[in-house]
Amino acid sequence: DALTAALQEGKIHYAILDTTFPEPLPTNHPLWSISNCFILPHFATNTMAVRKALVEEIQPMVEEFYGLGFSDAKLREQERSLRLDLAVAHQL
């Protein structure tokens, strides 16, 4: 509500948002109709660099956190390949 008021009163000239509260923002929320407010979808993970890092780095971090050690190298490679395929398919 404070952001809405500040934009409407000109205290803030522009707002570019990719997250809101509540999320998702209700369709009747005033921010949707304020001309100096731009609401965009989340794109932070929509890059190959981030997806590559997720595919390659998530499993070891989870294994370390839970004390599982490292899985069989062949299984890890198969899983990495499947995750990469999923990341590429999601990009389409």
Side-chain angles (χ1 to χ4, degrees):
D1 293 335
L3 176 61
T4 302
L7 286 165
Q8 290 171 332
E9 295 167 10
K11 293 179 181 176
I12 296 177
H13 294 286
Y14 292 95
I16 301 172
L17 311 172
D18 77 339
T19 58
T20 60
F21 183 81
E23 179 100 353
L25 199 60
T27 56
N28 63 343
H29 196 283
L31 285 175
W32 287 114
S33 61
I34 297 175
S35 64
N36 54 340
C37 181
F38 303 91
I39 303 170
L40 307 170
H42 301 280
F43 284 114
T45 60
N46 200 16
T47 66
M48 287 305 291
V50 170
R51 291 178 188 197
K52 183 177 185 289
L54 287 172
V55 167
E56 294 175 353
E57 297 173 13
I58 288 288
Q59 183 174 351
M61 291 177 3
V62 170
E63 290 174 344
E64 181 180 346
F65 180 81
Y66 288 105
L68 301 173
F70 292 100
S71 59
D72 180 278
K74 185 175 180 181
L75 179 60
R76 284 180 55 104
E77 180 55 33
Q78 289 173 336
E79 186 173 358
R80 187 197 69 76
S81 177
L82 290 172
R83 289 181 184 193
L84 185 59
D85 288 348
L86 180 61
V88 170
H90 182 71
Q91 184 182 22
L92 302 174

